[in-house]
Amino acid sequence: MKNRKGPLRGGPRFAYDGLNRVIHERARLSLLTSLMTHSKGLTFAELKAFCALTDGNLNRHLQVLEEARLVTVTKNHSGGRTQTRCRISAAGRKRYLEYLAVLEQVIVDGAAGAKQDPRPSMSRGSAPA
Amino acid sequence: MKNRKGPLRGGPRFAYDGLNRVIHERARLSLLTSLMTHSKGLTFAELKAFCALTDGNLNRHLQVLEEARLVTVTKNHSGGRTQTRCRISAAGRKRYLEYLAVLEQVIVDGAAGAKQDPRPSMSRGSAPA
């Protein structure tokens, strides 16, 4: 929807619209990355350990991801215990990879900035525009 | 503070503690990346355009970044107009680069996951643990 004009020094060059808020939140990024690398899924306990989340936070973020259809959560009842197993969905994989591509652009941009001399005094002598 | 135990399948392997919340928020990541790549600083208007932010959002996020001492904001008054100029601070550069290193790890992990076959049926025949 955004009007990406060229003249104004590149338009919203650094807006990173693709950094989907559902995925970008740190705990959820952590959960989705765990699930991306474990294609057979992970239990609630495993996710807690991998992502260093409390029960409450894990439940809350899984609910957000499930509502966005990025993960599936299945509960198995056996021997009086309930095991919760989470997997990233096909749509979740797709959206995660799209997100990752934007993240790569952030790194490319940030790394380009890192190569610049942070001290403006260096170029003052040559009267920049 | 976290107890990084090895045995439980690697401990909080995907917690990404280094994803500093002040920097990770999308608008602020966008602002800091813009400022990283413009070592002489940017005006309020330039930042708005680069990051596609409204006046209100830009003010709010700059305030957070300024309070965290990641950016400096200077106001020049001349000819009845005020020009606001923002620059990333030395501490901001340092923290941003530390953040970027963690982001790179997310990409490495996520990309490794992307190479996995997402279909669990492929390995079911070999009875995984």
Side-chain angles (χ1 to χ4, degrees), chain A residues 2 8-21 23-27 29-31 33-42 45-46 48-52 87 93 96-97 99-100 103-107 109-120 123-124 128-129, chain B residues 2 8-21 23-27 29-31 33-42 45-46 48-52 87 93 96-97 99-100 103-107 109-120 123-124 128-129:
Chain A
K2 243 162 232 119
L8 188 53
R9 294 183 64 177
R13 170 72 183 81
F14 301 100
Y16 307 123
D17 285 340
L19 291 187
N20 182 311
R21 277 182 198 280
I23 301 178
H24 190 60
E25 197 283 333
R26 188 181 75 173
L29 180 56
S30 170
L31 289 169
T33 307
S34 306
L35 293 171
M36 272 297 284
T37 58
H38 294 84
S39 54
K40 289 195 279 290
L42 290 167
E46 287 168 334
K48 259 184 73 172
F50 273 135
C51 305
R87 288 190 57 196
R93 277 182 71 86
Y96 180 89
L97 292 173
Y99 168 89
L100 220 58
L103 218 53
E104 277 174 9
Q105 187 58 51
V106 174
I107 289 181
D109 292 339
K115 283 178 196 153
Q116 287 187 15
D117 193 313
R119 293 162 299 173
S123 57
R124 256 179 209 153
Chain B
K2 243 161 232 123
L8 187 55
R9 294 181 62 176
R13 170 73 181 80
F14 301 99
Y16 306 122
D17 284 340
L19 291 186
N20 183 311
R21 278 182 198 281
I23 300 178
H24 190 61
E25 198 282 333
R26 189 181 73 172
L29 180 56
S30 170
L31 288 169
T33 307
S34 305
L35 293 172
M36 272 297 284
T37 57
H38 294 83
S39 55
K40 288 194 280 287
L42 290 167
E46 286 167 336
K48 261 185 72 174
F50 273 135
C51 305
R87 288 192 57 197
R93 277 182 71 88
Y96 180 90
L97 292 173
Y99 168 89
L100 220 59
L103 219 54
E104 276 174 9
Q105 187 58 51
V106 174
I107 289 182
D109 292 340
K115 284 179 195 151
Q116 287 187 16
D117 193 314
R119 294 162 298 175
S123 56
R124 256 181 211 151

